[in-house]
């Protein structure tokens, strides 16, 4: 089992991906997938540039991880994401068999790891472990800053 400090170090990498998304005028959400404490994939929101509703940070990272591992099964992997996964991303996490989900900020409007619904508590064939609120303040702040700037524009 990883320590909070280990989770924080990988969440910092997810925050770097969120910054990249924000610089590209995307909602600043980032994701990192690890296996055996090694980063195997990163991703960030890319919906605006791609004009594709599926291009959430988690989907981007899962796609990259599957290509790298040459498998749709991501058993043994942990995904770090700056915002609680939505139902689509939670479904992708379940279907890709990711073992652990670590997220920063809760999403009271669309969170599927306990905020609106907990898809991981449903009787699906796979149920990942969830670790919440890692670097919560930093993850919330990057979103607040983005939306504040957007409102000013």
């Amino acid at each position: 089992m990883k320590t909070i400090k280990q989770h924080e170090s990988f969440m910092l990498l997810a925050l770097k991906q969120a910054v990249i998304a924000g610089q590209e005028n995307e909602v600043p959400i980032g994701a990192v997938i690890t296996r055996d404490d090694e980063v195997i994939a990163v991703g960030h929101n890319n919906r605006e540039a791609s004009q594709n509703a599926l291009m959430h940070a988690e989907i981007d990272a899962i796609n990259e991880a599957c290509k790298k591992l040459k498998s749709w099964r991501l058993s043994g992997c942990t995904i770090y994401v700056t915002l609680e996964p939505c139902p689509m991303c939670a479904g992708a996490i379940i279907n890709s068999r990711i073992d652990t989900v670590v997220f920063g900020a809760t999403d009271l409007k669309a969170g599927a790891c306990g905020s609106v619904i907990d898809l991981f508590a449903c009787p699906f064939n796979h149920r990942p472990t969830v670790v919440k609120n890692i670097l919560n303040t930093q993850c919330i702040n990057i979103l607040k800053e983005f939306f504040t700037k957007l409102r000013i524009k």
Side-chain angles (χ1 to χ4, degrees), residues 4-143:
I4 296 296
K5 287 290 180 201
Q6 288 171 309
H7 285 318
E8 287 176 348
S9 68
F10 289 119
M11 187 62 75
L12 285 171
L13 297 176
L15 279 162
K16 286 181 182 180
Q17 288 297 308
V19 168
I20 292 168
Q23 291 168 343
E24 296 173 357
N25 294 316
E26 303 281 350
V27 175
I29 301 169
V32 170
I33 297 177
T34 65
R35 180 187 265 174
D36 298 326
D37 293 328
E38 177 188 339
V39 174
I40 60 166
V42 298
H44 60 272
N45 263 6
N46 194 25
R47 291 188 305 171
E48 296 299 330
S50 67
Q51 287 300 296
N52 184 335
L54 302 176
M55 291 312 300
H56 288 202
E58 299 95 322
I59 302 298
D60 191 24
I62 288 169
N63 189 43
E64 184 179 323
C66 289
K67 286 179 184 176
K68 180 165 184 175
L69 297 178
K70 296 180 176 63
S71 176
W72 62 267
R73 289 179 185 90
L74 300 179
S75 301
C77 292
T78 298
I79 187 166
Y80 294 84
V81 61
T82 57
L83 183 66
E84 179 180 1
C86 71
M88 175 183 70
C89 294
I93 290 164
I94 291 166
N95 283 303
S96 63
R97 310 297 197 270
I98 290 173
D99 289 346
T100 306
V101 177
V102 180
F103 68 85
T106 56
D107 186 348
L108 299 177
K109 293 180 180 177
C113 303
S115 291
V116 175
I117 190 168
D118 188 352
L119 288 181
F120 300 146
C122 295
F124 292 111
N125 59 333
H126 178 73
R127 293 184 193 156
T129 301
V130 177
V131 179
K132 303 177 182 183
N133 299 317
I134 299 296
L135 299 183
N136 177 272
T137 302
Q138 294 94 316
C139 294
I140 290 170
N141 285 343
I142 194 169
L143 288 163

